[in-house]
Amino acid sequence: MEAINHQSNITTLLLSWYSKHKRDLPWRETSDPYRVWLSEVILQQTRIAQGWDYYLRFVDRFPDVQSLAEAEEEEVLKLWQGLGYYTRARNLHTAAKQIMSRFNGRFPSGYSDILSLQGVGAYTAAAVSSIAFDAPHAVVDGNVFRVIARLFAVASPIDTTEGKKIISEIAQSLIDREHPGIYNQAIMDFGSLVCAPAQPKCMDCPLQPHCLAFQENGVNAFPVISHKTSVRERYFNYFHIEHENKTYIQKRNGSDIWKNLYEFPLIETPTPMDFLQLVQTKDFRHLFPETGLRSVDLRLTLRHQLTHQIIHTRFYRVMISAESAFVPPEGLICIEKQHLSAYPVSRLTDKYMKII
Ligand code: SF4
């Protein structure tokens, strides 16, 4: 009984805090499930300030599920360019088609139907079903993990199955069953604005009397993280080839990152290599079988961090003399230089294109 009162006090305080401090965001002006879903997908791993413009552009170009489903994938990827994690855009597009074919174009209202859509996980299904349909499913995102880990001094690391399970159960027990959507948005906003990762505002926090981490003087010890996830280091060498007014790109495929996006010809090496080492490789000789190169300049080096990968990148600018008959290897697409910006590319390639 005491635990239930403790939890309902926390819920009441969170809702009261939210009624005074709620942020006005464009996707909060609607309960249209399509727009709620779109905003949730855009905001995963994206700051609100950055996602805001993308959301407005998407709803302007694709105001409903049907318009998104009928678009070409390349247009969806191009509109997404700069947000990163392009799988989200591809899944968004596939899920819109699934809604058209499996649900006659009506956004499904049941949690399990929403969860069955391409790319939709427990977090998004809970967010959409609670905000658009008032279904009592608690969201558990990074903010919720941190707030609950501190409030309840959860000792299990949040990046383990056990830690995730404990926090999900507590989150579900805290949900306000009459206003689940408002509660979910309240706890996420609270985590972002008050119980922040660094320097949480404990002295102004309405939940402070209920916070075990604060009472134990251990706010900085929570959430506990095991850091067992490994990060893969990769070495990319891109070749921005210029031959008269032409350049060359290729489309990524397979199951690797950035599927269906375009990029310059790439040689990936298992270890860092300078240019002299690179020219000795079989891949280099395959890319440039003839010696018609006029000049090769290392234009930019970038360290690009993804969730589980660090890409150490070198961009080379290769000028091929006009007299040379450059025959590109299979898979390379020859385009006019000025058409380069029309192709959807990764954030890494976009950074290079903005600098050159
Ligand atoms: Fe977070 Fe501090 Fe409030 Fe506890 S007291 S919930 S750590 S802001």
Side-chain angles (χ1 to χ4, degrees):
M1 191 63 177
E2 202 175 301
I4 291 172
N5 280 340
H6 178 236
Q7 268 141 305
S8 74
N9 281 341
I10 290 175
T11 305
T12 308
L13 287 166
L14 270 173
L15 291 176
S16 156
W17 173 87
Y18 188 64
S19 68
K20 296 184 205 109
H21 301 279
K22 172 184 175 188
R23 290 181 284 187
D24 287 327
L25 303 168
W27 45 88
R28 286 190 175 158
E29 291 159 10
T30 179
S31 55
D32 172 359
Y34 167 70
R35 293 183 180 217
V36 173
W37 169 58
L38 190 59
S39 69
E40 290 298 338
V41 177
I42 287 175
L43 290 174
Q44 285 161 24
Q45 288 134 333
T46 301
R47 286 173 293 108
I48 285 182
Q50 191 194 12
W52 190 306
D53 277 352
Y54 281 88
Y55 172 78
L56 295 178
R57 260 184 268 160
F58 260 83
V59 291
D60 185 47
R61 172 61 190 90
F62 306 122
D64 47 35
V65 173
Q66 186 174 354
S67 51
L68 177 58
E70 287 173 355
E72 292 295 327
E73 186 186 77
E74 223 154 280
E75 187 188 359
V76 178
L77 292 174
K78 189 67 197 165
L79 206 57
W80 193 269
Q81 187 164 307
L83 265 181
Y85 303 100
Y86 286 81
T87 308
R88 290 182 293 167
R90 279 190 295 273
N91 287 342
L92 205 57
H93 190 218
T94 306
K97 290 182 190 168
Q98 291 174 329
I99 295 170
M100 296 308 295
S101 61
R102 288 173 41 208
F103 301 101
N104 295 323
R106 274 181 76 88
F107 204 101
S109 57
Y111 176 85
S112 49
D113 282 340
I114 300 173
L115 191 62
S116 74
L117 297 172
Q118 177 79 21
V120 172
Y123 165 80
T124 308
V128 177
S129 64
S130 65
I131 297 168
F133 301 107
D134 276 335
H137 294 282
V139 294
V140 187
D141 74 343
N143 285 312
V144 176
F145 271 122
R146 184 173 59 259
V147 172
I148 291 180
R150 287 173 175 166
L151 278 173
F152 294 84
V154 176
S156 299
I158 60 165
D159 52 347
T160 60
T161 309
E162 192 202 352
K164 286 186 178 128
K165 187 163 175 279
I166 292 170
I167 291 193
S168 299
E169 282 171 9
I170 298 175
Q172 194 55 40
S173 73
L174 285 174
I175 201 163
D176 183 295
R177 301 192 79 79
E178 281 181 28
H179 309 288
I182 295 174
Y183 161 80
N184 277 336
Q185 292 175 88
I187 191 166
M188 289 191 284
D189 261 21
F190 179 82
S192 169
L193 299 175
V194 180
C195 196
Q199 298 172 333
K201 297 176 182 146
C202 299
M203 291 309 154
D204 301 322
C205 173
L207 301 186
Q208 192 209 82
H210 302 277
C211 179
L212 294 181
F214 184 83
Q215 285 162 25
E216 290 171 10
N217 206 12
V219 169
N220 291 332
F222 296 96
V224 179
I225 301 173
S226 72
H227 289 299
K228 284 207 178 116
T229 326
S230 62
V231 173
R232 179 180 170 201
E233 309 243 359
R234 301 178 73 176
Y235 304 91
F236 281 15
N237 302 277
Y238 278 122
F239 295 89
H240 177 190
I241 302 169
E242 296 206 347
H243 185 212
E244 301 183 292
N245 62 343
K246 303 274 196 281
T247 190
Y248 297 85
I249 54 175
Q250 61 189 8
K251 190 171 186 177
R252 288 184 70 86
N253 47 36
S255 56
D256 201 356
I257 52 173
W258 306 329
K259 187 178 167 200
N260 293 351
L261 297 185
Y262 291 83
E263 63 186 0
F264 295 115
L266 166 70
I267 296 179
E268 180 173 2
T269 53
T271 53
M273 281 191 193
D274 61 22
F275 186 66
L276 290 177
Q277 292 170 305
L278 210 51
V279 293
Q280 312 291 333
T281 62
K282 202 158 60 79
D283 288 344
F284 188 90
R285 289 196 296 275
H286 176 68
L287 183 57
F288 300 108
E290 305 292 337
T291 50
L293 309 186
R294 196 168 75 211
S295 67
V296 180
D297 299 316
L298 176 60
R299 294 298 298 263
L300 189 66
T301 57
L302 283 173
R303 180 184 182 279
H304 191 68
Q305 173 100 48
L306 302 174
T307 313
H308 300 303
Q309 300 189 28
I310 297 172
I311 317 271
H312 303 273
T313 319
R314 290 167 166 246
F315 282 95
Y316 292 95
R317 178 80 152 264
V318 181
M319 308 297 281
I320 295 186
S321 54
E323 319 71 73
S324 166
F326 176 63
V327 182
E330 203 180 323
L332 288 195
I333 307 162
C334 178
I335 60 166
E336 303 278 330
K337 280 195 287 193
Q338 70 267 26
H339 294 160
L340 189 55
S341 60
Y343 290 82
V345 297
S346 70
R347 188 155 20 173
L348 172 63
T349 297
D350 192 40
K351 274 189 213 165
Y352 169 77
M353 283 167 46
K354 287 202 170 101
I355 290 170
I356 55 166

